[in-house]
Amino acid sequence: MQQKAIALKYDYSSAPKVTAKGSGFLAEKIVSVAKENDVLLHQSPELVEMLSTLELGEEIPEALYLAVAEIIAFAHNIKNHQW
């Protein structure tokens, strides 16, 4: 199965938006850029499949708010409590 990656941006003023998406080589580049910029990576094949149906710049649907909010909260917790 080919690797897929989705990048989201959340600016606290609206729902998170898809800022990058791709599979194969493009997915590898998205992950590489995220790592280079110390962006937390979360692996969820099911969520990636759902998010991959969205267009670039599109807000996530309300049905995914809770799942994405939990990931954002987890990322903030890790960032604020680095050991």
Side-chain angles (χ1 to χ4, degrees), residues 5-61:
I6 305 290
L8 299 176
K9 179 179 181 180
Y10 181 54
D11 62 8
Y12 301 95
S13 66
S14 61
K17 294 179 183 175
V18 176
T19 56
K21 67 178 192 172
S23 59
F25 177 75
L26 187 52
E28 291 173 16
K29 290 299 288 180
I30 292 168
V31 170
S32 176
V33 169
K35 287 179 179 178
E36 289 170 8
N37 290 282
D38 294 321
V39 173
L40 180 72
L41 299 173
H42 176 78
Q43 294 184 15
S44 173
E46 299 85 6
L47 186 56
V48 167
E49 284 302 319
M50 289 184 265
L51 292 171
S52 67
T53 64
L54 302 176
E55 297 298 323
L56 292 177
E58 189 174 353
E59 291 183 356
I60 64 166

